Amino acid sequence: MSLKSAGSSMLLTSGSRGRTILLAVTIFIIALFLILRSSVIETAPWPSAGTSKSETTSQSSSTSHSTPGNGDSSGHPPLQNEPNPCAGFPDTSDILLVMKTGATEAYDKLPVHFMTTLQCVKDVVIFSDMEMQMGEYHIIDALDTIADSVKKDNSDFDLYKYLKEYERVGQDPRGLKDSFSGWNLDKYKFLPMLLKTWKHRQDAKWYVFVEADTGMNWDNIRTFLNKLNAEKAQYIGSPTYLDIEFAHGGTGYIISGAAMRKAVGGHPDIQEKYDSMVHGICCGDRQPAAVLLDEQIKLTKAWPMLNGEQPFSVPYTDAHWCAPILTMHHMTAQHISQVWNFEQERKAQGNHDPLMWKDIYYRFVHDNLKPTLDDWSNLSSDMTYTPDSDPDRQFHGLKWAELTDVERASAESAENCRKLCESDDDCIQWEHHDKECKTSRSIKLGGMKRSEGNVKWVSGWRFNKIGEFRQKMGNCTSGPVWKWSEPDSWFS
């Protein structure tokens, strides 16, 4: 090799090395920038009570035709695959989870639980109206001990008869969903569930009963139960009423081990006593309350911690804001997955504070609110104004003719409905549909409602009133409000 060529080779090699080092430094700087940017995004505080990004952008136009997504709001980092989702999960070894479903919905509603909380809950028993095996989970037929005398000539059991036939020939029970209502059959499950649950496990300190569309926050459930005495006979839930007060089943209810021992363990004949009464009542979740009431065990009320709504239908009120969430009802598989992912994201960021309703509001609701939104119902319901052919029909204590001009005009158009809301200092949102105006004094997101021809759904929110509410409620700096009431009392 000549000196000239050797020198050229050395210069080429040196130049390549320099370019390589420069490229490596550039990649390092870009990677560092992305890491720091991600960190800033992840640790950014929730929107303040002043004007938010959504307020300034959405108010630039009087009507928004964009569609909020019932999911993760923009600006939140995507959750990565979690290698150990049960890390830091609370100890549930002294709790038995009891889940109720129906065969026509089981394949749609159960899998999301298997992929989320049931990965981590120690002990669970699942009841349905047909015996099934779903992966590692055995689904128990809750109705196989119902007496023939109860089923005979009882149309409530028509679905059950078909399910038995579908089970025999291996057909998908979802094929019966459109032909039968599972509600009439479902109410017979509650009493045999009590007995079968007691037979399954008699040493649990707590028995948590939920349905397949119930979402659960187990950190909060564990914290709440740690505040109570399992040796005291207790029945805890969100109250509803027929002839007696009872816990709403879909919201979920909790029975202490002492109460199960006293009301169920000592009375194996409760099915014989109560099954014949079920046909004449609307709601099977009344029956556990009746059994417990026989032993003078009355309902302890824990609403809104145990809640019958989900993030998009719940009214965000003073009572909800700082309340920790134990359960939510009417949750779709998507809702359950979204909230589970949010919980995992919080933990990954080092946030182990109890999940409160205000956290759900800022994560799923706030950035989706608009001054006006087409094809949407925000579930306003406190006040309703619609013309009626009956001149004596009462509207909040007044006849239609006695209402103000603004109130009567509100039913004519979405714009008039908005004006009505703005004329009421307590109104925070409104919706208009087909000559009907509704307003509310609490925040709800609601969901999409497609227009039917020229009949439109239009909803709107007042951002100044929302800002006032958020300013008043603050960020729950005093901590979550764990609030429940003893039997025969209400909240103070």
Side-chain angles (χ1 to χ4, degrees), residues 232-338:
K232 178 183 177 182
Q234 296 187 77
Y235 167 48
I236 306 160
S238 178
T240 190
Y241 308 87
L242 287 174
D243 56 321
I244 61 174
E245 184 180 56
F246 61 96
H248 179 241
T251 300
Y253 54 95
I254 302 169
I255 303 178
S256 67
M260 285 287 287
R261 192 175 307 113
K262 186 175 182 180
V264 182
H267 298 278
D269 60 341
I270 56 174
Q271 263 192 262
E272 299 173 17
K273 180 177 180 180
Y274 284 103
D275 270 351
S276 60
M277 305 177 188
V278 176
H279 179 70
I281 65 172
C282 70
C283 311
D285 36 5
R286 173 200 178 275
Q287 297 304 79
V291 170
L292 292 159
L293 195 57
D294 282 348
E295 296 297 325
Q296 303 303 310
I297 304 170
K298 299 181 180 180
L299 181 66
T300 294
K301 307 169 190 70
W303 176 93
M305 298 188 298
L306 293 164
N307 205 286
E309 301 293 340
Q310 38 95 330
F312 311 113
S313 65
V314 70
Y316 290 89
T317 67
D318 299 33
H320 290 79
W321 196 251
C322 296
I325 299 170
L326 274 62
T327 65
M328 294 179 279
H329 188 218
H330 300 300
M331 297 280 280
T332 67
Q334 181 182 5
H335 295 157
I336 291 170
S337 178
Q338 288 170 335

Side-chain angles (χ1 to χ4, degrees), residues 28 142 367 464:
F28 173 79
D367 289 343
N464 61 325

Side-chain angles (χ1 to χ4, degrees), residues 15-63:
S16 298
R17 183 181 298 114
R19 285 193 295 272
T20 301
I21 293 172
L22 179 61
L23 179 60
V25 170
T26 302
I27 292 173
F28 173 79
I29 292 172
I30 293 172
L32 181 61
F33 170 78
L34 291 175
I35 290 171
L36 291 174
R37 181 176 181 272
S38 175
S39 176
V40 169
I41 291 174
E42 290 184 276
T43 57
W46 293 120
S48 66
T51 302
S52 70
K53 177 182 177 182
S54 65
E55 291 178 51
T56 56
T57 56
S58 61
Q59 291 187 39
S60 62
S61 173
S62 61
T63 302

Side-chain angles (χ1 to χ4, degrees), residues 82-113:
E82 175 54 60
N84 186 9
C86 297
F89 197 84
D91 179 15
T92 62
S93 58
D94 62 346
I95 302 172
L96 175 60
L97 173 63
V98 184
M99 183 173 288
K100 177 172 68 65
T101 188
T104 62
E105 66 177 20
Y107 286 107
D108 297 322
K109 293 187 175 182
L110 290 180
V112 70
H113 292 287

Side-chain angles (χ1 to χ4, degrees), residues 48-260:
S48 66
T51 302
S52 70
K53 177 182 177 182
S54 65
E55 291 178 51
T56 56
T57 56
S58 61
Q59 291 187 39
S60 62
S61 173
S62 61
T63 302
S64 170
H65 296 277
S66 64
T67 301
N70 279 5
D72 298 349
S73 300
S74 61
H76 297 283
L79 186 70
Q80 303 300 314
N81 289 339
E82 175 54 60
N84 186 9
C86 297
F89 197 84
D91 179 15
T92 62
S93 58
D94 62 346
I95 302 172
L96 175 60
L97 173 63
V98 184
M99 183 173 288
K100 177 172 68 65
T101 188
T104 62
E105 66 177 20
Y107 286 107
D108 297 322
K109 293 187 175 182
L110 290 180
V112 70
H113 292 287
F114 301 155
M115 295 184 289
T116 55
T117 55
L118 294 193
Q119 296 179 86
C120 312
V121 174
K122 299 290 185 182
D123 197 3
V124 59
V125 57
I126 304 173
F127 292 101
S128 182
D129 37 30
M130 186 172 86
E131 186 175 13
M132 307 167 71
Q133 188 71 33
M134 296 183 66
E136 64 182 289
Y137 293 94
H138 180 68
I139 317 300
I140 300 171
D141 182 355
L143 302 174
D144 60 3
T145 56
I146 299 288
D148 289 340
S149 59
V150 174
K151 294 183 287 186
K152 185 179 180 181
D153 299 324
N154 186 345
S155 61
D156 292 344
F157 282 86
D158 288 350
L159 171 59
Y160 190 59
K161 295 172 185 175
Y162 274 93
L163 286 172
K164 285 295 185 184
E165 186 64 17
Y166 267 54
E167 179 183 5
R168 186 184 68 81
V169 297
Q171 295 295 297
D172 188 338
R174 286 177 292 186
L176 294 169
K177 192 170 186 177
D178 294 334
S179 301
F180 294 92
S181 169
W183 176 260
N184 291 335
L185 183 61
D186 186 78
K187 63 186 179 181
Y188 292 87
K189 298 172 189 173
F190 288 86
L191 288 180
M193 278 172 52
L194 282 179
L195 288 169
K196 291 172 182 282
T197 293
W198 181 249
K199 183 178 180 180
H200 174 82
R201 183 175 176 187
Q202 301 180 6
D203 66 341
K205 289 184 178 180
W206 299 101
Y207 297 82
V208 177
F209 293 80
V210 299
E211 299 190 359
D213 61 349
T214 307
M216 299 156 279
N217 182 282
W218 279 95
D219 292 294
N220 286 349
I221 291 173
R222 177 74 276 176
T223 301
F224 176 62
L225 294 180
N226 286 345
K227 298 175 182 293
L228 305 176
N229 180 8
E231 295 306 312
K232 178 183 177 182
Q234 296 187 77
Y235 167 48
I236 306 160
S238 178
T240 190
Y241 308 87
L242 287 174
D243 56 321
I244 61 174
E245 184 180 56
F246 61 96
H248 179 241
T251 300
Y253 54 95
I254 302 169
I255 303 178
S256 67
M260 285 287 287

